[in-house]
Amino acid sequence: MQVKDIRLLILDVDGVMTDGRIIYDDKGGELKCFDVKDGQGIKLLMEEGIEVGIISGRVSGASEYRARELGISILHQRVDDKVSTYRKIIDEKGLVDDQVCYMGDDLADIPLMREVGFSVAVADGSQYVKEVADYVTVKNGGNGAVREVCELILKAQDKWDTLMEKHFGSI
Ligand SMILES: [Mg+2]
């Protein structure tokens, strides 16, 4: 498996797209913090035709809002069995395991991390998750870990420099 073959990045939400904290208001409504730089990375990835999807064990309006904002149409929430949801997604898309990267942070992510071609754990993830992962990010969940992986994929596919030149001039 090589990072240059990745066609789909699947993300867990809590602890990966966020730092794992959930803020409740006095009515029980949930607030989450997402990272703007992660969002930019996701958009650049999708611009290059690499799809991004979300599989979350919890259900949250904030996740739905964030997905919509970024143009992520693959969104599965309240998922008990992440592996079977994953199988449905890649079968529909005609992809194979080696074309998929999954990012997780905690124990429930381990079964799916064992299926995909390239599994990533966030720096502040569970030690058991990090032991299973092909790659452990330098950045923490909700604090640039997703952006780090987006850049890693785009650079491995020789797309990063062209994207930078196109949007931001030579850097
Ligand atoms: Mg999580």
Side-chain angles (χ1 to χ4, degrees), residues 12 14-15 105 109:
D12 173 45
D14 296 289
D105 72 305
D109 299 309

Side-chain angles (χ1 to χ4, degrees), residues 1-94:
M1 183 279 150
Q2 290 184 308
V3 178
K4 70 175 177 53
D5 296 327
I6 297 296
R7 306 306 310 156
L8 170 64
L9 168 65
I10 299 181
L11 304 169
D12 173 45
V13 174
D14 296 289
V16 172
M17 295 181 77
T18 76
D19 64 6
R21 292 186 300 168
I22 298 162
I23 303 166
Y24 291 99
D25 65 24
D26 57 8
K27 294 183 178 64
E30 290 189 10
L31 302 177
K32 296 183 196 287
C33 275
F34 293 94
D35 185 299
V36 168
K37 290 194 212 49
D38 284 355
Q40 173 74 80
I42 287 169
K43 283 185 175 174
L44 290 171
L45 209 64
M46 294 196 300
E47 182 180 330
E48 287 300 321
I50 296 158
E51 292 194 84
V52 178
I54 292 170
I55 301 179
S56 176
R58 294 176 57 84
V59 64
S60 150
S63 302
E64 198 181 325
Y65 191 90
R66 182 62 169 161
R68 199 179 318 126
E69 179 182 44
L70 295 173
I72 297 173
S73 56
I74 307 166
L75 172 66
H76 297 268
Q77 301 201 82
R78 200 178 272 136
V79 174
D80 288 330
D81 181 353
K82 290 193 174 192
V83 172
S84 70
T85 300
Y86 160 73
R87 288 274 158 233
K88 277 181 210 143
I89 294 170
I90 67 164
D91 285 353
E92 267 171 33
K93 305 238 165 240

Side-chain angles (χ1 to χ4, degrees), residues 12 82-83 102-116 119-121 126-133:
D12 173 45
K82 290 193 174 192
V83 172
Y102 178 66
M103 283 185 76
D105 72 305
D106 211 349
L107 304 175
D109 299 309
I110 289 176
L112 181 45
M113 290 175 75
R114 290 203 169 109
E115 299 291 313
V116 298
S119 59
V120 178
S126 147
Q127 68 168 96
Y128 301 102
V129 175
K130 292 201 267 188
E131 280 166 17
V132 169

